[in-house]
Amino acid sequence: MDTILTGIRVNGELTLGNFLGALVPMVRLANEHNKTHNINIFVPDLHTIISDVDGDLQKNIIKSVKYYLAAGLKVGGNVHFYRQSYVPAHSELNWILNCVASMGELNRMTQFKEKSEGKESVNAGIFDYPVLMAADILLYDARYVPVGEDQFQHLELTRNLAIRINNRFDEPIFTPPEKTEEQVKFMNLDGGIRIRDLQNPEKKMSKSSRAENSKIMLSDDPSVAAKKIMSATTDSLGNIKFDMFNQPGISNLLQIEALVNDVPLQEVISTWAGESHYGDLKKKVAESVSTFLASFQEELAAISEEAVYELLETGEAYVNEVADRKLEKVQKAFGLR
Ligand code: ATP
Ligand code: MG
């Protein structure tokens, strides 16, 4: 059975954009394929400590798993949740892959260049994390790894390392993940969803944006979120139309309305076609968003910490066996066993 693998970033809060653009599509993908694929969802805690070392890691691990559950992920069967640091084979394989990856190819990673640019001191983890990522993937022979464009290069590196190692020994050890074009096709996400910044709709909504009014957080009080929608930037054309280029603010509202109600965008566009009162649209979207947030927050509160720990521990017991088997195969090939 093929494996779909995804990592949940462990950093505090998510925006409505993160939720609609990343979490919901992943949950849909997992629910669609959980009969025919292993669904590995791991919390990359070892990746997290590359940059953020603070007291909230444990809290954030639990919260990130809860987000998936509250977003409707169906558990059980082939779905495995686990924390990276609870599966020591990730670190073990990371080292072995370090001895195969070249400094040159890691130096070419644009993420590394971007993240280290202008910094006086950069930890080795930032340089090496693509190799840890390769270990995360190859341990499970994961075929599909839904990631954003910024991670495509790392996926290619993973493929290259797998192929290089397979060529080195008599029998293949790893299944390389599919090429990025195949990944994109499988995810069926081309055109991807980009929720815009409420104040500057030319930009995308970002959690790191400092203007509170420009983003909706999943933890926002529903009435506060409604006010943010009411104060969203629109335009002066007085025509409700989906046109991201000329009317990004209005288009963004139509898009949000469709996604939080889980109805096709075309349907929302038709409903509002020919209307000119932006206030009416805002009122409707504000209502939809606050209803959505209230019910999401209720779902979230209903998930106990114990349930999350149980899920993680069950997953970890399972994947440790799978990962150890693969690791042993690699260790034997390298003469370590
Ligand atoms: P930051 O400002 O720190 O970069 P971010 O909001 O851009 O935060 P990321 O952690 O970079 O969030 O990305 C998490 C996931 O959310 C990625 O899969 C990314 O593609 C998706 N995502 C981020 N912003 C949006 C958005 N506005 N609309 C849709 N998807 C988004
Ligand atoms: Mg980002």
Side-chain angles (χ1 to χ4, degrees):
M1 194 155 43
D2 285 336
T3 297
I4 302 171
L5 179 137
T6 185
I8 324 167
R9 289 237 304 206
V10 196
N11 47 8
E13 297 295 334
L14 296 183
T15 66
L16 188 64
N18 302 142
F19 181 81
L20 298 173
L23 205 61
V24 169
M26 183 56 218
V27 166
R28 187 166 299 149
L29 195 73
N31 289 349
E32 263 169 29
H33 295 281
N34 64 12
K35 296 275 184 302
T36 50
H37 291 68
N38 277 308
I39 313 285
N40 285 18
I41 304 179
F42 76 104
V43 185
D45 51 357
L46 294 173
H47 286 286
T48 302
I49 63 167
I50 292 172
S51 54
D52 317 307
V53 178
D54 59 32
D56 287 337
L57 184 53
Q58 289 302 314
K59 221 174 66 201
N60 287 337
I61 289 170
I62 300 304
K63 190 155 64 183
S64 55
V65 175
K66 285 187 179 179
Y67 277 146
Y68 268 81
L69 303 179
L73 190 108
K74 296 201 190 89
V75 297
N78 304 316
V79 178
H80 314 291
F81 274 99
Y82 53 100
R83 291 161 285 190
Q84 187 183 29
S85 75
Y86 280 70
V87 188
H90 288 247
S91 307
E92 293 280 338
L93 184 59
N94 181 192
W95 180 258
I96 297 174
L97 296 179
N98 272 339
C99 301
V100 176
S102 75
M103 295 285 286
E105 66 190 337
L106 296 185
N107 247 323
R108 284 197 295 276
M109 297 293 126
T110 48
Q111 282 288 301
F112 170 67
K113 286 187 211 161
E114 278 172 23
K115 291 192 168 162
S116 57
E117 201 178 271
K119 294 214 176 109
E120 215 167 89
S121 163
V122 176
N123 71 50
I126 293 191
F127 183 68
D128 198 41
Y129 93 90
V131 182
L132 177 58
M133 189 172 152
D136 300 335
I137 296 168
L138 296 179
L139 269 181
Y140 307 97
D141 289 321
R143 202 159 152 208
Y144 296 107
V145 188
V147 289
E149 219 175 310
D150 56 333
Q151 299 296 321
F152 283 178
Q153 207 184 11
H154 298 159
L155 217 50
E156 282 303 317
L157 172 76
T158 304
R159 275 179 60 77
N160 292 339
L161 292 176
I163 293 167
R164 200 174 306 156
I165 290 173
N166 285 347
N167 288 340
R168 187 183 287 190
F169 301 106
D170 293 338
E171 60 173 312
I173 294 180
F174 297 119
T175 310
E178 293 288 335
K179 289 196 171 136
T180 48
E181 306 92 80
E182 295 303 316
Q183 301 279 348
V184 171
K185 253 190 248 163
F186 181 74
M187 287 185 264
N188 198 10
L189 276 181
D190 23 358
I193 294 157
R194 274 274 164 275
I195 301 300
R196 306 304 181 104
D197 181 300
L198 296 175
Q199 295 302 314
N200 287 309
E202 287 81 18
K203 296 194 309 183
K204 75 164 196 73
M205 186 182 284
S206 284
K207 66 173 115 65
S208 58
S209 157
R210 253 178 279 147
E212 280 305 318
N213 263 350
S214 69
K215 56 185 182 181
I216 288 177
M217 306 305 295
L218 292 179
S219 55
D220 274 353
D221 188 282
S223 64
V224 172
K227 283 197 193 101
K228 291 181 182 176
I229 296 283
M230 292 308 292
S231 71
T233 301
T234 52
D235 55 66
S236 53
L237 297 174
N239 181 19
I240 299 180
K241 207 172 116 196
F242 190 82
D243 177 351
M244 267 301 176
F245 190 71
N246 295 305
Q247 299 181 256
I250 286 295
S251 306
N252 193 36
L253 293 178
L254 291 169
Q255 171 92 83
I256 292 174
E257 172 72 5
L259 290 168
V260 296
N261 292 312
D262 198 19
V263 299
L265 176 60
Q266 272 314 322
E267 201 176 301
V268 177
I269 293 173
S270 315
T271 305
W272 290 90
E275 301 284 339
S276 59
H277 295 294
Y278 288 178
D280 293 347
L281 175 64
K282 282 184 171 179
K283 233 185 257 164
K284 177 67 176 66
V285 179
E287 209 180 278
S288 298
V289 167
S290 63
T291 305
F292 158 79
L293 279 181
S295 95
F296 179 79
Q297 289 166 4
E298 203 178 307
E299 297 269 345
L300 205 62
I303 304 164
S304 74
E305 213 164 273
E306 290 70 34
V308 172
Y309 278 119
E310 200 184 309
L311 205 59
L312 287 169
E313 283 158 17
T314 310
E316 283 150 12
Y318 174 81
V319 299
N320 262 304
E321 278 182 29
V322 178
D324 283 345
R325 245 181 288 148
K326 177 62 76 179
L327 179 64
E328 197 185 358
K329 204 168 162 185
V330 183
Q331 288 169 326
K332 281 187 176 150
F334 278 81
L336 294 161
R337 292 290 182 276

